[in-house]
Amino acid sequence: MQLVHIILPVHLVASVYAATYSLSDNWVGSGFLNGFTFETIADPTDGRVTYVDQATAVSKNLTYTSSDTFIMRADDTTVLASSDPGRDSVRIKSDNTYTTHVAVFDIRHMPQGCATWPAVWETLESDWPNAGEVDIVEGVNDQTPNQSTLHTSAGCTMPDGIAQTGTVSSQDCNVADNGNSGCGVKAPSTNSYGPDFNSNGGGWYAMERTTSFIKVWFWARNDGSVPSDMSSGATTVDTDNWGEPTAYFPNTDCDLASHFGENNIIINLTLCGDWAGAVFNADGCPGDCTTYVNENPSAFSQAYFDFAAARVYE
Ligand SMILES: *[C@@H]1O[C@H](CO)[C@@H](O)[C@H](O)[C@H]1NC(C)=O
Ligand SMILES: *[C@@H]1O[C@H](CO)[C@@H](O)[C@H](O)[C@H]1NC(C)=O
Ligand SMILES: CC(=O)N[C@H]1CO[C@H](CO)[C@@H](O)[C@@H]1O
């Protein structure tokens, strides 16, 4: 990011961030295997999954790469006993951490089906929630449109009347309030998530984080307004030309500089758990979520991410 000093009349000096950023990480195909660590932790959200390491994911084809494809998915072949720990799945974390940056995700397909709870997000696991959490895209059980959300320590809220295309669902970002629902904004289009996203060929999510704001954009694959620097994977991007964001989180009632620190990018796919499991029947899914996961491997044939690329600009 470039810091531009502008000399104003009356001898005021303002520092203005021009919105031009340079490519610092560019993950395509097998590049994902080098830039991310496969986390074998117990799912913190109590999902019916077993997160496997990279060697296991590759050997079981839960992770597959080609020159322009990175696939990560849940197992869709194994019937589980109730004593088994969970359906094999994948959770990856970037080796690098970021503060001010732009992250771009070119996604062809996201996990689909009852019980699925995919997320593309950023945090620092060792200092949660003090280092903040940005959920760029997250949803459960194919329910659309779903949302972008911040989760923070106390003293961070979002004001009324924000210029964004999405719809506010909650304004208090503090994890200790409202059952940690965070401050969320729902995307305006159903093709931003789940089956509609997939049947439309997916699209692009991008997030810009500065100390003044966090913005999230979504463009569907066939959206005529998609910025060409973002979609082409250019070596620099200028977010000033990207138009009104889907979700805009300003620093007016939240000191972003103190509520957010270094964050990793995390991409995970859990099944059931504290959110997808809790609303399983309400979302029209049959029976008990854990039993459904155990007994119906073929229900997870669409439970995969297909990334064309992910990029970070700083
Ligand atoms: C692994 O997954 C890829 C992508 O879904 C698929 O094209 C390929 O056939 C699979 N390989 C095996 C051995 O199943
Ligand atoms: C991933 O894990 C985090 C907590 O560590 C949670 O907030 C998020 O919802 C999880 N999502 C998935 C899909 O596992
Ligand atoms: C259609 C819809 O809004 N689906 C879900 C989006 O996310 C919220 C939680 O933030 C759920 O309550 C909705 O059911």
Side-chain angles (χ1 to χ4, degrees):
M1 178 157 221
Q2 297 165 0
L3 186 62
V4 179
H5 294 282
I6 296 176
I7 311 300
L8 297 173
V10 296
H11 305 99
L12 288 175
V13 177
S15 295
V16 175
Y17 285 99
T20 302
Y21 299 77
S22 300
L23 186 64
S24 56
D25 281 303
N26 183 22
W27 300 296
V28 179
S30 59
F32 281 90
L33 301 181
N34 302 322
F36 287 80
T37 297
F38 285 55
E39 295 188 278
T40 55
I41 57 174
D43 179 18
T45 49
D46 306 316
R48 186 74 182 130
V49 288
T50 300
Y51 286 128
V52 301
D53 62 21
Q54 182 173 311
T56 305
V58 170
S59 74
K60 292 187 169 179
N61 211 29
L62 302 177
T63 295
Y64 167 84
T65 64
S66 69
S67 61
D68 67 349
T69 302
F70 172 69
I71 303 245
M72 55 175 266
R73 67 173 129 232
D75 164 81
D76 67 350
T77 60
T78 311
V79 174
L80 302 177
S82 54
S83 56
D84 288 329
R87 186 164 295 287
D88 285 350
S89 189
V90 176
R91 171 177 170 127
I92 62 173
K93 177 170 85 171
S94 66
D95 293 334
N96 293 333
T97 58
Y98 310 96
T99 54
T100 292
H101 69 292
V102 172
V104 172
F105 302 90
D106 183 345
I107 310 174
R108 299 190 187 97
H109 187 282
M110 67 168 70
Q112 175 180 331
C114 279
T116 58
W117 175 2
V120 176
W121 58 298
E122 298 192 359
T123 195
L124 186 69
E125 289 164 326
S126 59
D127 193 21
W128 187 92
N130 299 319
E133 172 180 341
V134 185
D135 299 331
I136 298 165
V137 53
E138 183 176 23
V140 297
N141 301 325
D142 294 344
Q143 297 303 301
T144 66
N146 248 300
Q147 63 178 26
S148 303
T149 310
L150 305 187
H151 301 268
T152 67
S153 52
C156 175
T157 61
M158 290 299 130
D160 292 323
I162 292 170
Q164 58 192 356
T165 62
T167 306
V168 172
S169 60
S170 48
Q171 292 170 281
D172 183 352
C173 312
N174 181 0
V175 298
D177 294 340
N178 307 321
N180 187 21
S181 57
C183 48
V185 177
K186 288 184 194 296
S189 57
T190 60
N191 63 15
S192 63
Y193 186 77
D196 287 358
F197 175 91
N198 293 336
S199 62
N200 199 40
W204 296 267
Y205 275 93
M207 191 272 279
E208 179 181 12
R209 176 182 151 195
T210 74
T211 52
S212 305
F213 58 78
I214 292 170
K215 293 178 179 174
V216 177
W217 289 263
F218 168 70
W219 297 274
R221 186 64 63 194
N222 52 358
D223 185 334
S225 69
V226 64
S228 61
D229 55 358
M230 195 278 317
S231 61
S232 69
T235 53
T236 62
V237 292
D238 183 352
T239 54
D240 278 350
N241 299 327
W242 289 7
E244 190 161 279
T246 311
Y248 179 41
F249 304 97
N251 68 346
T252 42
D253 301 304
C254 177
D255 179 21
L256 294 171
S258 62
H259 281 97
F260 285 82
E262 296 273 348
N263 280 358
N264 296 98
I265 296 169
I266 304 179
I267 303 169
N268 48 0
L269 167 60
T270 197
L271 305 173
C272 305
D274 299 337
W275 183 11
V279 295
F280 190 69
N281 295 145
D283 286 343
C285 296
D288 166 68
C289 194
T290 300
T291 307
Y292 182 85
V293 170
N294 291 351
E295 296 179 353
N296 296 295
S298 64
F300 299 96
S301 63
Q302 296 296 307
Y304 68 92
F305 278 108
D306 178 349
F307 286 91
R311 300 187 176 88
V312 176
Y313 296 83
E314 291 176 289

